[in-house]
Every structure is written in structure tokens, then in C-alpha cells.
Amino acid sequence: MDILALRNVSKHFGGVAAVDGVNCSVRQGEIFGLIGPNGAGKTTLLNVICGLADPYQGEITFKDQRIAGKKPWDIARLGIGRTFQIVQPFHGLTIRENVAIGAMFGKKGHEGSIKEALSLADKALELTGLSHRADDLATQITLSQRKRLEMARALAMEPDLLLLDEVMAGLHLTEISEMMEIVKRVNEQGITIFIIEHVMKAVMGISHRIMVLHYGKTIAVDTPERIAENSRVIEVYLGERYAARRAKRLAGSEMGS
Amino acid sequence: MLQQLVNALLLGGIYALVGVGFSLIYGVMNIINLAHGALIMLAAYTTFWVFQLYGVDPFASIVISMALFFVIGFILQKYIVNRVVGQNVLMTMVLTYGFELIAVNFALYFWHADYRAVNPTYAGTGLEIGDVVVPYIKLGILTVAIVLTSLLYLFMTRTKIGNAIQATSLNKDAAQLVGIDIQYIYSFTYGLSAALAAAAGTLIAIVYTVTPSMEGGFLGKAFVIAILGGLGNSLGAIVGGVVLALAETFGVVVFGAAYQQIVGYVIFLLVLIVRPCGLVGRRFFSEL
Amino acid sequence: MMATRLTFLGKISRPLRLIAYAALAILLGLIPFTADGYWVRVCTNFFMFVIMVEGVNIISGYTGYAALGNVVFFGIGAYVTAILMSTFGLDFFIALILAGIVAGAFAFGLGMPILRTKGHYFVMATIGLNELVKQVVSNLDSLTGGGKGISLPIPSMPPRINYAFFYFVMLAIAIICVFVVYRLSKSKFGYGIRCIKANEQAAGVMGINTTMYKALAWTLSAFFTGLAGGVYAYWQTFIEPPVVFDVVFAIKMFLMLLLGGQGTVLGPVIGTFVVEFLGELIWGHAADLQLGILGTLVIVVVLFVPQGLVEVTRNKTIGRIFSTRRVKEPQPVEF
């Protein structure tokens, strides 16, 4: 079943189409990767989904409900959480409070008390390995911890769909594998994940399916293995000449065998 | 009707000058200079006293007041405002309002709330073209306003320091990287803005009465003009000045004299909400 | 966070705190009956500013929208009270409540469009709004008396009782106002608006209805400011546009807020106390230098105490400011 479906979605800035007629559907429970060179329109697409880039053309349905034109907070309450590429913590609040905000205002936000929100926050902090920093201010932690804070905050909203925008950018190798583990663990809890990532090893390693965006257009949607083999994708990432040489080489080796 | 149009254009010259300096500071430093009205007021007094005591023609005293206020502005920025550039909106605005309060108190203390006027001998004469009368004074003012804004444009585009100011307003980090001393640029910009305010103040002194409480009105005008032209866009302020002058002049014709100010502020709020980039500005887009 | 911001009260043990409160209550209750009429007026003025500064604290300190033109609600409250009492003959308290409601409704209605603007644009919009309303009030002669001002019925009380009456009305509203801000700071709503201040976009994505929260915060701010204006009008028995829509008033409010500390419960009270009483001591003797002194104070506060006194005492930086010799010495950790 599809949890999120985009039909012919376009977003123009002035005369430039940042997202140009994108169609895709994210299945319930999967990890859906979105890759593409810089300026491909990945973050814009995320903004469109979570209501930050209104108005746009096309149709988006989330759990069979149209969300076009809805405000970010309405979309958030339907069950979509997101993180930001450039971390955006709430300064002046502790880590725990930052995360509790998600619980206070997220999916079931209007029901619970502040106390309940704080205990939900503790759970999300544990899942992301931040418990030991709970009482620090958001300005006092490292980048890797701030990326996890973004994640914890979105998790505390108890979303059905989590949009992750480059949660691994700028991290070193061990931190990346830790983050991959966290993403997998979150997914095992039944949360569908839509992840933008530049770190190929990571996104190839955890995604069930991957979509490639180039100048706002979809050029491929497939499993990681087949994406790696897709000549159009290689062309986009490594240039036409490399793609042509590779095609020749492949043809040559086939002949040789 | 034609007479109204001519009046509006003549007024537009002064308004443009009021707005240009105000917008310039915002464009370069992101500061709303609430002392702008006070600078205009003090310059108007300077013109008045120079005329009263030494008989200097008000048009000639533009040079004096501009030079004087350039120095004052430069010093204010160098020793005080530079310490808070880049801090939040509130800090910088409140700080510049501190200058305003001191300036008003200064004027009230020494010159009292009396109304004063500069009356050169050629006041009251004018050029008659058909039914339309164009007072020489106002024609002179418009000429000065056009000359000054043109000079500003040339300064910004043709001189090294003008280019440095523009570079700083586009991206202060990049400007610093290529070796621009932005502290100096800030001081220079404030001085330039103060000099433009002084020019406006001098011209205002020729046609209006001078009083310590005139600052509020002209600060308000600077707001409206700058927003109409696009905040930070100093050439847009010229458009803003002319538009405001037209709106006020015809607002009075349509609604009555009481509505002169109201028309301006209504337009101001509408533009702020509907088109914050100003009438001639372009929107900017950025990714998150 | 809020709890730690109140440390200098919270650290005192509970019985001591109760005694302090009781002493404060007795002191406040006795002032109008023992002090000179002049000081009763000064205290009433102090309470009035506490209300307004807490009001501006809600929208500026907590929500991050620097409503420099908030004085517009003071003027609206004052005029609504004046018109309802003198033209429609309403009772003071009914007129006062209505004044607060009208000011609040005005903020809510205009807040929706105006709060879409941000940063400098918002500040300018609020100043423009204040000027606009001032001009409209000055020209609606039939309703507001125009530029000539409007008189209110003079309360039929002996002067002493009159002073005490306004003293206690202002005090009551000030206490309610501080209490509301205190509750607010611990509520979900309070968290919501603090998030808006910290990062509005992220707040929206977390499920906070930023448009509504901002408008409600401004409404609350305007309601209290309007009440202060209403009491002021009846207290003075005469108001005119340049006085109740005075931007200098607004600047004074922000000076107090900055000095005390934005986004804290007691900061505004402390800031107002310092400015009002210090100011009274200074410009009580030099009335013609009042504006200049205020201006100087503004500059000094922005340059040297931008965090506000509450924050300064918390960080013990006050010691650093006042001791010139031992700048580099390590700061003691315990409070």
C-alpha cells in the first residue's frame, strides 16, 4: 500500500522549475531513498511535501488524503515528521525540551500534557542515543548529536512518515554507521522513511528503493542494485564521457567472454 | 490638476532624498536608522542658523551641512553603532532611537519648541507656464535632489569605495575576504546617509518651518518611502519618494487635507504585507 | 529553563519566600495610605509600565516579534474607555474590560496579515500602524474629539482615595498580568511561542500552528496593554492622540524590557522598577533633560547590558562589569 503518492508535482521559483513533474509513490513501511546531484531539487521536493513550499502544481496524497494547500502544522499533525539539512534546533531550550516539542505538538499533540511529552521525549532520546545530553542546551552539542536531535524531535511527533534531509552529511564514518543503525531501528518500529542522502554507501545500504532526481525530473526509481547499474544515473553522476566509456567496456567484456 | 501634478513632482524630489539615505543604511548594514528624522531636523536647524547668523544662502549651505553631517554620521557609526551591527533588530533600532531622543532633547533645550523659517529674498517668486506656477525655490530643490541622487549613483558605480559599499551590502563575508575593511565601509555609509539626510533637511528648511518635533514626521516618511521603493534599495527610494508625493497630493484632493498622512501609512502597510520587496523590487528565493 | 531563570527567587527556601511575599504584600498595601501623594503616583505609574512591559514581553520577549509600535493598543484602550464612559456613560470597569477586549480584537484581526511580515518589516509595520491609528483618531473629530483630545468624567472621590483607587486598580492588573505570563511560560502555548521565536519554520513543521499562536500572543499582549491604557485614561481624566500614541512611550517600554531581560517572567518587573524609580530620581530634578537622559540610558543598555539584568545576575557577569581588576579570574561555579 502507498502511504505517500506524488502525481505530476512541480514547483517553480520565478521562471525556474526546481521540481518538474515528479511522480512517485512511497510504500508503507519502506525506506525510500532520494538522490541526485546538487541542485536537483531534492530539498525543494521535501519542502513541497511538508507544506513549506506552497503553492505548487500537482497532487500529493498522504494516507489517501490530499495534502496540497495544507499548512505545515496540519501536515505535521497528519503524521509527517521531518528533519532539516541545516539543523534547526530551538535555541534557549534544553535537548529534552527540544524533543518534547515534537511530542507536544506532533501527531497526538493536542491530547497529552507537558509531562507526557517529556517522557515521550526521553524515549526518542534513548532511541537516538542522546539520553546523556538531555539537560544540555542545543548549542552545547556536536554536529552529529545535533543531527540526531533533529531526528529525535521528529520521532517524538510519532509520525507515520519521516522525511530525513541529509542526516549524515558532515559526519565521519563511525557516526555514519551509527546513524544508519538508528534509521534502520526507526524503520523497524513501523515508520516509513523518505531519506535524502549524499552519502552513497549509506543510502544504498539502507534503502529498499531509490529515486534519482536530476534538474527537478525523475530519471529512475528502482532498487539500489539496479540504480547502481542504471546507465542514465551513471551519466548524470559521472558525466556522459564516463558513461560512454563504461558502456563500451561492458560491451567489450561481454564480447570477450 | 496639472498644478497638482507639478507640486507632487517637486515634493517628490525632497521625499526621494529623505528615503535614499535611509534605505542606503538598511541595504548595507541591515539597520533601520531611527535617528534619520533627527538628522534631518538638526540639518534643518543648521541651515536656519547659518542663514540667520551669517546670511549664507540656504542652497549654498547644503555643502556645509552635508560635510558636517558626514563627519557626525561617520563618528556615530565608528564609535557606537559598529558595536551592535549584526545584532538583532530590536537592539539596533532601539539604539538609533537613543540618538533620536538625545537630538530632540538637544534641539528643545537650546532652541525650544518655536517654529522657525528660512526666508531668502527670492521666496515667493516663480515661473509661470500657462496656468501652472512653478516656484523657483521648489524648482531649485528638485534640481538639487536630481543632481544629488545622480551623483550618488555615479559614486556607487564609478568609484572604488562606492563599489566596496555595494559589495558589502551584497555579501559582507565575501567583501571581507577580498580585503574590504567593512568597519570603515559601515562608518562611511552612515556618514553618506547622514549627509544625504542633511541635504534633505536643508531643502526642507527652505520650504517648511523648522521645529524640534519635525523629526517624527520625516522619519515616518522615510519608512513609507523606503518600503515603497524596496527596503535597502536606495535607487528604488527615488521611485518611492515620487509615488508617496503623488499619493499624498492626490489623497488630499480626493479625501481632504486631514488624510494626507493617513494615505501614506495605509499604502505603507498594504505594500509591507502584500509586496514587502517594494513596488520595483524583485522577490528572492532561497532553499532551506 | 524557566525554573532556572527564576533561580534568584527559587533558591530561597519556601518559608522564607512566603515571608518575603507577605512582607511585600503588606508594604504594597500600606504605600497609598502612608506615602506622599507624589510617590503614590510614581508607584501607580510603575505598575502601569509593568503591565505594558509584560505585554510587550509576550509578543517580543517570548514570541520574538519586536512590536515596537505596541503603544497603539495603549492608545486604543485609553480611547475606548474614554468614549464609552463620556459618550455612552458606561461604568468604568465595564468600559475598561471592553477596552481590553477591543484592543485584543484589534490585534487579532490585524495580527493575521501583519504578523506575516518578519524582522525589520514587522517592527516597521507596527510603528506604521501606531502612526496610522494616531492619525485616524486625530481626524475622527465626531467620535474621538480629534486632535483636541477627549475628557472623561472626573471620579467623585476625595484626592487621597482617588490616588489609592488607581494605585490598587493598576496593582491588581499588574499582578494578574505577571501571573498570566508566569503560567504562560510553563504552558504548552508558552513552549509554542518560544519555538516560534527560536525558529518559526521548524516550529511549523513540528505541528505548531504558528499563524494562530502568533496572533493569540499579540492578542494577549494587546489586551493587557489596552487595560493599562484604559486605567490611564480615567486616571488622567483627559487624553489626546500625541500622548497616548507616543512612540517615546514605546521606546521606554522596550528599554525596560531590554534592561530587565526579554522572555523572562520577572525581567520586565525589574527593568521597569529600575527605569521608573531611577528615572524619577533623575528627571524629577531635570525635567527638560528627560528625553536626553532616556536616550543615553537606551544607548548604555544596548551597549552594555543587552542580555538584561536577570541574565546578568544569573551569569554573575555583573561582577565582571563592576570589578576592573580581576577580569581574568575564573568565575565561581556555585550560585
Side-chain angles (χ1 to χ4, degrees):
Chain A
M1 194 200 105
D2 294 339
I3 187 167
L4 180 77
L6 279 66
R7 263 187 299 282
N8 219 2
V9 171
S10 300
K11 172 71 194 176
H12 297 263
F13 291 120
V16 187
V19 174
D20 193 359
V22 167
N23 287 291
C24 77
S25 49
V26 179
R27 293 173 197 149
Q28 176 85 51
E30 74 175 337
I31 299 180
F32 185 85
L34 174 60
I35 62 171
N38 285 326
K42 303 184 295 292
T43 297
T44 305
L45 189 61
L46 224 60
N47 289 344
V48 164
I49 296 171
C50 69
L52 287 177
D54 209 40
Y56 55 87
Q57 290 90 49
E59 192 58 66
I60 301 180
T61 48
F62 174 66
K63 293 195 286 190
D64 299 323
Q65 200 175 347
R66 294 167 57 174
I67 57 171
K70 280 204 189 336
K71 295 289 178 193
W73 47 88
D74 291 326
I75 293 172
R77 290 196 171 160
L78 286 175
I80 298 183
R82 82 164 280 181
T83 68
F84 288 94
Q85 179 182 354
I86 299 157
V87 291
Q88 306 198 353
F90 300 120
H91 295 290
L93 266 59
T94 64
I95 306 292
R96 179 187 277 117
E97 284 175 321
N98 255 285
V99 177
I101 296 297
M104 265 182 240
F105 298 98
K107 197 174 161 200
K108 294 174 192 154
H110 34 290
E111 294 157 17
S113 67
I114 294 181
K115 231 180 203 160
E116 286 166 19
L118 285 169
S119 69
L120 260 170
D122 286 334
K123 258 190 246 162
L125 285 172
E126 205 178 315
L127 192 66
T128 48
L130 274 177
S131 297
H132 62 295
R133 306 301 307 255
D135 294 318
D136 290 325
L137 287 175
T139 38
Q140 295 167 325
I141 54 174
T142 66
L143 175 69
S144 144
Q145 287 168 334
R146 264 184 257 178
K147 294 260 179 191
R148 281 189 260 163
L149 169 62
E150 283 276 321
M151 194 105 163
R153 210 169 54 175
L155 277 177
M157 295 166 67
E158 302 193 283
D160 300 311
L161 173 66
L162 188 56
L163 311 173
L164 301 177
D165 194 354
E166 300 206 22
V167 283
M168 301 181 203
L171 306 189
H172 60 65
L173 283 176
T174 14
E175 288 170 345
I176 288 176
S177 28
E178 278 170 22
M179 188 59 96
M180 283 170 71
E181 279 312 306
I182 293 173
V183 174
K184 275 195 234 166
R185 241 182 293 153
V186 170
N187 181 241
E188 277 158 18
Q189 297 195 343
I191 298 173
T192 311
I193 288 176
F194 186 118
I195 181 170
I196 295 181
E197 200 47 75
H198 265 308
V199 182
M200 279 304 150
K201 189 192 94 180
V203 72
M204 291 291 183
I206 57 175
S207 303
H208 300 117
R209 289 190 307 147
I210 288 177
M211 173 162 86
V212 187
L213 212 56
H214 185 50
Y215 287 122
K217 288 194 165 76
T218 314
I219 57 171
V221 185
D222 222 323
T223 59
E225 297 76 28
R226 310 239 318 253
I227 285 289
E229 295 296 313
N230 187 311
S231 57
R232 181 89 180 86
V233 175
I234 292 164
E235 193 180 302
V236 163
Y237 266 91
L238 300 169
E240 282 176 34
R241 278 170 59 200
Y242 179 85
R245 273 212 311 269
R246 183 174 175 277
K248 220 187 265 171
R249 208 168 54 231
L250 280 177
S253 67
E254 259 164 40
M255 255 182 266
S257 62
Chain B
M1 205 63 178
L2 197 61
Q3 178 72 54
Q4 309 283 5
L5 196 66
V6 171
N7 288 348
L9 285 177
L10 295 174
L11 183 63
I14 292 189
Y15 280 3
L17 222 43
V18 168
V20 167
F22 182 78
S23 228
L24 179 68
I25 287 195
Y26 183 84
V28 178
M29 292 180 264
N30 265 13
I31 286 179
I32 301 290
N33 180 24
L34 293 181
H36 202 71
L39 292 170
I40 291 174
M41 181 265 292
L42 289 179
Y45 269 104
T46 308
T47 306
F48 171 80
W49 287 115
V50 170
F51 175 77
Q52 193 78 5
L53 299 176
Y54 308 106
V56 180
D57 185 273
F59 281 103
S61 72
I62 287 181
V63 184
I64 303 171
S65 58
M66 282 185 80
L68 177 66
F69 280 85
F70 178 86
V71 174
I72 292 175
F74 192 95
I75 291 172
L76 279 181
Q77 177 73 31
K78 182 156 192 236
Y79 292 103
I80 301 180
V81 188
N82 264 347
R83 303 178 57 156
V84 297
V85 172
Q87 282 192 19
N88 74 47
V89 191
L90 195 57
M91 294 295 175
T92 50
M93 283 184 96
V94 171
L95 178 80
T96 54
Y97 204 80
F99 297 153
E100 167 107 1
L101 289 172
I102 293 171
V104 171
N105 202 158
F106 182 84
L108 275 172
Y109 192 82
F110 289 103
W111 308 316
H112 311 292
D114 305 343
Y115 287 78
R116 297 166 199 268
V118 180
N119 275 313
T121 45
Y122 44 85
T125 55
L127 192 67
E128 286 180 41
I129 311 164
D131 295 338
V132 182
V133 184
V134 184
Y136 288 127
I137 283 190
K138 292 197 174 177
L139 205 57
I141 286 171
L142 186 64
T143 313
V144 172
I146 292 173
V147 168
L148 281 177
T149 43
S150 314
L151 282 179
L152 178 71
Y153 179 74
L154 289 177
F155 175 78
M156 286 302 212
T157 49
R158 300 288 164 81
T159 66
K160 208 170 168 188
I161 188 152
N163 286 335
I165 290 176
Q166 281 194 305
T168 310
S169 83
L170 285 174
N171 187 331
K172 82 172 163 44
D173 295 330
Q176 248 169 332
L177 282 177
V178 297
I180 294 172
D181 174 1
I182 60 166
Q183 303 283 323
Y184 175 76
I185 291 298
Y186 286 164
S187 307
F188 196 94
T189 305
Y190 202 106
L192 199 58
S193 167
L196 289 164
T202 301
L203 299 181
I204 286 163
I206 304 173
V207 274
Y208 298 107
T209 48
V210 180
T211 138
S213 61
M214 66 193 276
E215 39 71 49
F218 283 102
L219 178 61
K221 297 252 192 278
F223 270 36
V224 182
I225 296 160
I227 287 295
L228 286 178
L231 194 53
N233 177 350
S234 24
L235 292 174
I238 298 169
V239 179
V242 175
V243 171
L244 176 64
L246 284 170
E248 281 189 0
T249 310
F250 288 99
V252 169
V253 174
V254 179
F255 303 108
Y259 288 84
Q260 190 192 1
Q261 308 272 346
I262 296 179
V263 168
Y265 285 117
V266 168
I267 297 177
F268 166 76
L269 282 177
L270 284 179
V271 172
L272 252 182
I273 292 162
V274 180
R275 208 180 149 77
C277 51
L279 297 175
V280 289
R282 272 185 306 157
R283 283 161 198 266
F284 289 99
F285 298 102
S286 64
E287 262 191 64
L288 290 176
Chain C
M1 265 313 279
M2 284 332 292
T4 54
R5 276 171 189 249
L6 286 170
T7 31
F8 64 96
L9 270 191
K11 287 278 161 138
I12 308 168
S13 69
R14 196 179 163 79
L16 263 177
R17 225 185 323 162
L18 288 178
I19 292 169
Y21 283 139
L24 190 67
I26 293 168
L27 180 71
L28 287 173
L30 281 180
I31 285 175
F33 304 108
T34 50
D36 171 53
Y38 170 76
W39 284 107
V40 178
R41 267 205 322 275
V42 171
C43 288
T44 313
N45 220 32
F46 163 60
F47 301 144
M48 181 178 87
F49 271 105
V50 167
I51 301 167
M52 287 196 286
V53 178
E54 285 290 8
V56 94
N57 189 24
I58 297 172
I59 187 67
S60 178
Y62 282 100
T63 320
Y65 277 73
L68 208 55
N70 233 27
V71 66
V72 70
F73 304 119
F74 182 81
I76 289 173
Y79 265 94
V80 170
T81 308
I83 293 165
L84 289 180
M85 286 184 75
S86 60
T87 313
F88 297 96
L90 252 61
D91 178 65
F92 168 62
F93 284 104
I94 297 172
L96 182 64
I97 297 291
L98 287 172
I101 292 173
V102 170
F106 193 76
F108 189 80
L110 280 169
M112 288 294 183
I114 288 184
L115 285 161
R116 284 174 54 187
T117 61
K118 289 187 172 59
H120 294 91
Y121 292 92
F122 176 75
V123 187
M124 292 179 79
T126 64
I127 297 176
L129 180 66
N130 182 51
E131 289 303 318
L132 176 63
V133 174
K134 187 209 275 181
Q135 294 296 338
V136 171
V137 169
S138 307
N139 288 300
L140 276 179
D141 294 27
S142 55
L143 186 65
T144 62
K148 289 191 298 293
I150 185 169
S151 296
L152 287 87
I154 295 167
S156 52
M157 294 177 263
R160 193 90 207 169
I161 305 294
N162 189 38
Y163 282 171
F165 173 75
F166 287 106
Y167 175 93
F168 282 117
V169 172
M170 282 292 194
L171 175 62
I173 300 174
I175 289 172
I176 294 171
C177 189
V178 173
F179 182 72
V180 166
V181 173
Y182 171 71
R183 292 299 304 219
L184 188 84
S185 71
K186 305 198 145 201
S187 69
K188 258 192 198 178
F189 182 77
Y191 271 112
I193 55 177
R194 280 162 70 195
C195 288
I196 291 174
K197 179 182 186 177
N199 192 325
E200 188 166 342
Q201 198 165 45
V205 171
M206 303 301 292
I208 297 168
N209 186 339
T210 51
T211 307
M212 185 55 78
Y213 271 42
K214 286 188 291 184
L216 287 177
W218 211 20
T219 305
L220 195 61
S221 167
F223 174 75
F224 281 115
T225 314
L227 288 185
V231 182
Y232 175 85
Y234 192 37
W235 182 31
Q236 301 295 316
T237 70
F238 173 76
I239 52 169
E240 51 185 337
V243 174
V244 293
F245 294 102
D246 191 355
V247 182
V248 175
F249 238 44
I251 292 296
K252 212 169 156 188
M253 273 153 52
F254 272 87
L255 169 66
M256 292 162 169
L257 180 63
L258 285 179
L259 184 66
Q262 298 191 67
T264 61
V265 178
L266 288 180
V269 181
I270 294 165
T272 308
F273 185 84
V274 173
V275 174
E276 232 359 73
F277 287 91
L278 191 79
E280 208 55 52
L281 289 176
I282 300 171
W283 55 60
H285 303 287
D288 49 356
L289 292 179
Q290 212 183 61
L291 292 177
I293 294 168
L294 185 62
T296 313
L297 212 53
V298 162
I299 295 171
V300 169
V301 168
V302 170
L303 290 184
F304 301 107
V305 215
Q307 298 290 310
L309 286 176
V310 169
E311 207 71 9
V312 168
T313 47
R314 198 159 70 96
N315 296 338
K316 285 245 174 182
T317 38
I318 199 146
R320 228 182 302 155
I321 289 172
F322 291 117
S323 83
T324 43
R325 322 178 262 123
R326 301 178 296 171
V327 179
K328 290 282 178 216
E329 207 170 75
Q331 301 295 311
V333 181
E334 81 285 349
F335 210 83

